[in-house]
Amino acid sequence: MSTTVPPFQEHGLITINHSITVANITVPKQQFALVNVASFSGDTISSGILGLGLRGLTAAFTGSNPSEDGIGNLVNYAPLMETIGTSKAASPILSFAMSREENRSYIAFGGVPPVSTGEYTTVPIQKVPTCPEKASRTPTLCCIFLLCGANI
Amino acid sequence: MTRLGVKAQLGFLALAATTSAVPVEHNQLSSTHIHAANAGLVLTDNYHTLSRIRRQPGVSRTLDTLRQIRRNRMFKDVSSLSPNDDPTGVDHIRAELNQIEYIMKVGIGPEPYYMIPDTGSSDTWIVQDGFKCIDPFFAEEVPPEYCQFGPQFKGDFPGGKIENQNLNISYLSGDYLNGNMGYAE
C-alpha cells in the first residue's frame, strides 16, 4: 500500500532560483542539511523536514565524525524562521490554518492566511531552560517569533 | 555511533483551526482583517497548501524499549507485545498507527519537494541521492526503499558546503539522521 497525496489547487511556491522557497518567499542563504545516513520511517512522499523551530534546537556539530558529536561541539545556527526575519524576506511570523479535510489547510509566513476566523490571540514565546544540557546551550533569540491563534 | 540528547519532536502546532479554512477574497474578509489587526497581525498572500495525508500503518518506534533494543542490537518480535507485557508501550504503538501528517511543497533549489513542516525541530534537511538507509534494529545498511522517502535530492549544496560541520539528529520517533551542512543560495 502506498500513501498518496490528494489532488489540490496549489497556492504559492515559485521555484526559479537555487534558494529555499516556502510559499512565495525566497529565503536567502539558508543553512540546511543533505542527509546521507538515515534510520527513518518515511511516508513515501516527503523527502525531508522543514525545521520551523528556533535556533536553540539546531543539531549541527563541528567536525565530520558523528561519533564525536556532543554538547561540546554543538553549533547553533540560524534556522529558517530566523533567516526569514533577519533577511527581511518576511516578518518572522508563522501561522497555520488547520482543517480535517484533505486540502484545506494552510501554512503562512509573515502573517496569517486569508481564511475566515474569529478573534486572534498572540502570545510571545518565552525561552526557559528545560534540562542542564539545554541550559548550557548558547543563549538565543527567542522573542522575534509570534504565535497566532484564532478563537472561533 | 553515539546518539545524542538532541531530541526534537515531530509535532504540529495547530493554531488557527477552522471548519472551513478556505481562502476567500480579501475584500470578503473584512472582519478577519479587523481581528488580525487587533492582534497586530496582517493577512498575507505568502501562504501555501498543506496536504493532509494518512501515513501507512506500521509499528511506531517511539518506545524507549525499542530504542534500547536498537542500541543493544537485540532482536525482539514487536508484534508479540501484548497489553499485559507492556501496557504503556502498546498504548504508544496504538496511538501512532494510521497517524495523520500534514506535508507541503518546498523549493530546494529549482525543484519542489514535499517536506514535513515541523515546529518542534529546527533543522531543515532533505535526503540526498545515494544515502545509506540503516535498519533501526540491527544498525545495518538496508535498501533505500526501506526508509520510505520521497524523491531524493540530486547534486550538492547550491550555496556551498560548510566544511567541518555535520548534522546529527534523533527524533522521538526513534528515527535518526546524519548528513552534511551547507547553504542554499
Side-chain angles (χ1 to χ4, degrees):
Chain A
M1 181 183 131
S2 102
T3 312
T4 55
V5 181
F8 65 97
Q9 200 66 37
E10 192 172 303
H11 179 274
L13 194 65
I14 304 158
T15 55
I16 48 168
N17 49 35
H18 286 81
S19 300
I20 288 183
T21 314
V22 289
N24 292 317
I25 297 173
T26 294
V27 186
K29 205 76 183 160
Q30 177 57 47
Q31 181 166 341
F32 73 108
L34 292 176
V35 162
N36 52 27
V37 176
S39 180
F40 202 80
S41 185
D43 53 32
T44 70
I45 298 169
S46 58
S47 303
I49 285 179
L50 190 69
L52 298 169
L54 301 184
R55 182 186 277 261
L57 278 179
T58 57
F61 298 85
T62 305
S64 52
N65 182 355
S67 67
E68 291 172 3
D69 292 344
I71 193 70
N73 62 341
L74 176 71
V75 177
N76 286 123
Y77 64 91
L80 190 87
M81 287 309 299
E82 185 177 323
T83 311
I84 284 176
T86 55
S87 69
K88 303 212 182 330
S91 315
I93 291 172
L94 172 66
S95 60
F96 295 91
M98 308 294 287
S99 170
R100 287 182 187 275
E101 290 181 51
E102 284 184 337
N103 285 308
R104 287 189 165 182
S105 296
Y106 300 90
I107 184 170
F109 298 87
V112 293
V115 297
S116 293
T117 65
E119 284 182 24
Y120 277 98
T121 305
T122 64
V123 289
I125 293 178
Q126 187 170 359
K127 187 189 176 195
V128 289
T130 55
C131 62
E133 182 187 86
K134 293 267 175 64
S136 66
R137 288 174 160 225
T138 322
T140 59
L141 291 170
C142 60
C143 293
I144 56 165
F145 191 66
L146 290 174
L147 282 182
C148 329
N151 295 319
I152 49 170
Chain B
M1 210 183 295
T2 309
R3 304 279 23 118
L4 298 164
V6 182
K7 302 288 182 205
Q9 183 162 18
L10 278 166
F12 309 111
L13 208 46
L15 299 171
T18 79
T19 49
S20 57
V22 185
V24 293
E25 291 303 314
H26 283 208
N27 59 11
Q28 296 178 284
L29 288 168
S30 54
S31 65
T32 300
H33 275 290
I34 294 165
H35 292 318
N38 286 343
L41 298 165
V42 292
L43 269 64
T44 179
D45 277 326
N46 294 321
Y47 66 91
H48 193 266
T49 313
L50 292 171
S51 297
R52 186 181 196 266
I53 63 167
R54 189 177 292 275
R55 291 173 57 97
Q56 294 175 54
V59 174
S60 163
R61 287 185 278 117
T62 304
L63 296 159
D64 280 342
T65 50
L66 297 188
R67 284 208 219 109
Q68 204 63 47
I69 292 167
R70 185 182 76 209
R71 280 190 212 106
N72 297 339
R73 298 190 184 197
M74 289 168 3
F75 182 76
K76 186 174 180 183
D77 184 2
V78 178
S79 61
S80 71
L81 285 176
S82 80
N84 297 334
D85 293 339
D86 182 358
T88 313
V90 170
D91 279 353
H92 276 278
I93 289 173
R94 278 203 197 114
E96 302 211 0
L97 278 175
N98 287 312
Q99 61 186 334
I100 296 294
E101 185 177 85
Y102 290 86
I103 58 175
M104 65 185 288
K105 277 189 184 170
V106 175
I108 308 281
E111 296 291 326
Y113 296 88
Y114 278 105
M115 308 270 277
I116 305 166
D118 182 16
T119 58
S121 72
S122 300
D123 300 280
T124 294
W125 58 265
I126 184 164
V127 67
Q128 190 173 27
D129 189 37
F131 80 103
K132 256 197 225 182
C133 180
I134 306 293
D135 179 282
F137 300 108
F138 299 100
E140 285 168 357
E141 187 171 354
V142 289
E145 297 76 40
Y146 190 99
C147 282
Q148 298 189 292
F149 283 113
Q152 297 164 31
F153 183 87
K154 293 181 175 60
D156 219 326
F157 293 102
K161 180 175 185 270
I162 300 170
E163 293 303 331
N164 206 33
Q165 204 177 100
N166 71 93
L167 174 81
N168 192 341
I169 189 164
S170 300
Y171 297 96
L172 280 182
S173 58
D175 294 334
Y176 62 89
L177 310 161
N178 295 130
N180 295 311
M181 307 259 15
Y183 294 104
E185 273 183 0

